[in-house]
Amino acid sequence: MMNWEKLLLPEGLKPSDTDLQRSQFERDFDRIIFSAPFRNLQDKTQVFPLPENDFVHTRLTHSLEVSSVGRSLGKSTGKFLLDKYPALASKKLQPFDIGGIVATAALAHDIGNPPFGHAGEEAISDFFKFHTTGKLWQQKCSENEWEDLTNFEGNAQGFRMLVDKGNGMNISPATLAAFTKYPRPAWSKATGEKRRSQKKFGFYTSNITDYEHLAKGMGIPKLAENCWMRHPLAFLVEAADDICYSIIDLEDGCTLGLVSLEESISLMAGIIGDRYDPEKLQKYSSPKQKLAIMRAMTISRLIQETSAVFEEKEVDILSGEFDQALTEIIPSAENLEAITSLSVKKIYRSQPVLEKEAAGYQVLEGLLATFSEALFHFHFCKEKFSGHNKSILRLLPEELELQKSRDAYALMRGLLDFISGMTDKHALSLYRRVKGITIPGT
């Protein structure tokens, strides 16, 4: 059974520490906000291609909204926990501290996503699985390392970025653990019943020691070798994301004309329930106003339902008996599923989205092929190292030091840091330049 005091304040961490102006958890939030990886989210696709008009969400606006919902969920849960466990209040914890942990973890939840969204993850994985140049690296990697490369995961990349001292974020253990929704590497998984925490993986082979140290300090038990239970607040981070992408993607789809206003309002009204007043809504002439009001009321209702379910399941979450998505068991679960089904049909498979995914696949495959071939020739096949390869390597950031290391896995992790950290526009621009489609200065 996990213990809240150890989960929130491991190793004697104090919520206010020595800085009376900001708590540790507020500092975590500020460090994410001011980090370069977070800023890059402003030019990364959420669902739709980055548009000429400004109403469609990017990864940045999505992350800010998920953080806002996460803060509300965390504060509500914090009040419940402090009432139930007086020892937490004696440590000078406040509801806004728990809200701060969830808000920060939610703010960072997409920080490891590559350009072009989930299509970018597939493109990177498929490059190592199927591309001739990508498969060259298999002979140089261990079995576990190869499993990482052939299964690129934004959550694991995000964990890597958060613990990388070079990024300067240095967030607290509670926030890092709440961020880690899938506490296992790609090649390890708990057996038995289906667990939500096992759906994906949350860190790479090179970061197992980081998470092992984190889990030990917080008293998070193992489910299997190299596989741990979730930090309880990770369920709230996941729920905040589920709530936002379900409702906001629907709103964006309606704004773009892929879903009718009437259908969007009907779906959200099913969640709002008795509070929905169609006559009052008709007083607003603008479809944008109607959508905004319905979205706000829907999200508010989902926050209330999710908080109530977390409180109900809190003991089972601490023991590890509960391992489901909270949004799958709230009263509005069926309504959310209806929204997801419609989104898959009318939004995620719409022509603009599919075109963006196809283009992103080509861009990332092309960049990986160009750079990884140059690196392979330089380190392992000198007789094929060409002048073109030399020029390509000069485009890599010096701080990656990819021309010094001879460890194949480390080389590819560094290259993937570089490419997955790009914005959509940067990736497209660099692809055009290395392929000779665009010549600088012309």
Side-chain angles (χ1 to χ4, degrees):
M1 177 76 75
M2 289 182 280
N3 175 275
W4 277 110
E5 185 174 334
K6 206 168 184 181
L7 289 167
L8 299 174
L9 300 172
E11 301 174 2
L13 179 71
K14 298 177 182 178
S16 295
D17 205 18
T18 57
D19 186 341
L20 299 179
Q21 300 300 315
R22 296 181 299 162
S23 72
Q24 172 64 51
F25 310 124
E26 289 172 318
R27 289 202 295 274
D28 289 348
F29 189 90
D30 293 346
R31 286 169 177 167
I32 299 295
I33 282 281
F34 285 97
S35 69
F38 182 76
R39 288 197 302 274
N40 285 343
L41 295 178
Q42 68 184 311
D43 190 23
K44 284 192 177 183
T45 297
Q46 170 61 13
V47 173
F48 301 100
L50 296 178
E52 293 179 6
N53 25 17
D54 60 0
F55 50 70
V56 171
H57 290 76
T58 65
R59 287 282 172 188
L60 182 75
T61 50
H62 169 69
S63 296
L64 290 168
E65 289 165 346
V66 174
S67 180
S68 178
V69 171
R71 188 180 299 279
S72 296
L73 288 170
K75 286 175 70 176
S76 176
T77 298
K79 185 178 184 307
F80 163 76
L81 293 176
L82 292 172
D83 288 342
K84 183 175 180 179
Y85 301 103
L88 293 178
S90 71
K91 297 293 183 179
K92 298 183 179 180
L93 276 167
Q94 299 292 329
F96 61 77
D97 289 316
I98 288 85
I101 294 170
V102 180
T104 305
L107 187 71
H109 83 281
D110 271 349
I111 208 166
N113 279 37
F116 309 106
H118 294 300
E121 291 180 305
E122 291 183 4
I124 294 171
S125 301
D126 285 353
F127 171 75
F128 290 102
K129 288 177 183 175
F130 306 119
H131 197 281
T132 304
T133 304
K135 289 194 289 186
L136 286 174
W137 294 88
Q138 184 172 9
Q139 60 186 299
K140 304 294 182 181
C141 295
S142 71
E143 186 176 338
N144 289 344
E145 291 169 346
W146 188 244
E147 192 74 13
D148 282 354
L149 294 178
T150 54
N151 292 280
F152 183 89
E153 171 56 52
N155 290 284
Q157 185 66 23
F159 185 91
R160 176 176 168 84
M161 295 169 76
L162 291 174
V163 300
D164 183 354
K165 291 181 172 57
N167 287 322
M169 287 181 268
N170 191 30
I171 61 175
S172 65
T175 301
L176 185 58
F179 167 87
T180 312
K181 294 184 289 185
Y182 309 106
R184 68 174 182 89
W187 41 268
S188 177
K189 190 174 184 179
T191 57
E193 62 184 283
K194 290 184 178 180
R195 287 179 170 269
R196 181 71 175 194
S197 64
Q198 305 301 293
K199 182 182 177 183
K200 300 180 182 180
F201 68 98
F203 45 81
Y204 294 122
T205 300
S206 52
N207 292 121
I208 288 177
T209 303
D210 295 307
Y211 194 83
E212 189 166 29
H213 177 75
L214 184 74
K216 185 177 180 181
M218 308 182 83
I220 300 176
K222 281 187 175 182
L223 292 169
E225 189 65 25
N226 295 308
C227 179
W228 288 262
M229 287 169 49
R230 270 184 177 176
H231 188 289
L233 295 185
F235 288 96
L236 296 180
V237 175
E238 177 181 61
D241 187 26
D242 290 346
I243 289 169
C244 284
Y245 80 71
S246 297
I247 306 307
I248 301 301
D249 287 357
L250 177 64
E251 182 183 10
D252 280 352
C254 181
T255 304
L256 288 172
L258 299 173
V259 184
S260 70
L261 178 64
E262 294 71 25
E263 192 169 15
S264 300
I265 289 175
S266 175
L267 286 165
M268 288 190 272
I271 294 174
I272 296 170
D274 295 340
R275 290 186 61 208
Y276 171 58
D277 186 342
E279 292 184 6
K280 189 175 180 180
L281 189 66
Q282 291 308 314
K283 294 180 181 178
Y284 299 92
S285 58
S286 166
K288 187 178 291 187
Q289 287 178 308
K290 292 177 181 178
L291 279 173
I293 290 166
M294 293 296 291
R295 177 240 302 145
M297 293 179 70
T298 303
I299 289 177
S300 177
R301 179 61 177 263
L302 292 172
I303 288 172
Q304 292 172 14
E305 291 184 5
T306 302
S307 297
V309 167
F310 185 91
E311 292 173 16
E312 177 190 339
K313 299 292 185 181
E314 181 254 344
V315 172
D316 289 340
I317 289 172
L318 286 178
S319 68
E321 291 182 29
F322 179 88
D323 195 347
Q324 295 176 252
L326 294 171
T327 53
E328 290 180 352
I329 60 170
I330 59 176
S332 293
E334 287 188 15
N335 302 86
L336 272 182
E337 179 57 34
I339 290 174
T340 299
S341 297
L342 178 134
S343 295
V344 168
K345 182 180 178 181
K346 293 190 175 182
I347 298 175
Y348 305 141
R349 293 178 185 167
S350 65
Q351 186 172 345
V353 173
L354 294 176
E355 288 175 349
K356 176 266 296 180
E357 291 179 349
Y361 195 101
Q362 293 297 318
V363 168
L364 292 184
E365 180 186 79
L367 288 174
L368 284 166
T370 301
F371 284 106
S372 67
E373 179 185 76
L375 284 168
F376 192 88
H377 289 171
F378 179 81
H379 289 286
F380 308 114
C381 195
K382 282 288 189 182
E383 66 274 14
K384 291 186 177 181
F385 186 66
S386 65
H388 174 64
N389 290 160
K390 187 182 295 186
S391 297
I392 289 298
L393 291 187
R394 286 172 178 159
L395 294 174
L396 292 170
E398 289 185 13
E399 61 268 21
L400 291 178
E401 298 186 336
L402 295 185
Q403 296 184 51
K404 294 184 179 179
S405 172
R406 282 186 56 83
D407 180 277
Y409 179 72
L411 287 168
M412 287 300 95
R413 283 265 68 92
L415 179 61
L416 292 178
D417 288 346
F418 172 57
I419 291 178
S420 69
M422 291 179 183
T423 64
D424 291 14
K425 289 179 181 177
H426 182 195
L428 179 58
S429 173
L430 185 58
Y431 171 77
R432 286 172 171 164
R433 281 182 280 145
V434 299
K435 292 296 183 180
I437 300 169
T438 300
I439 300 175
T442 61

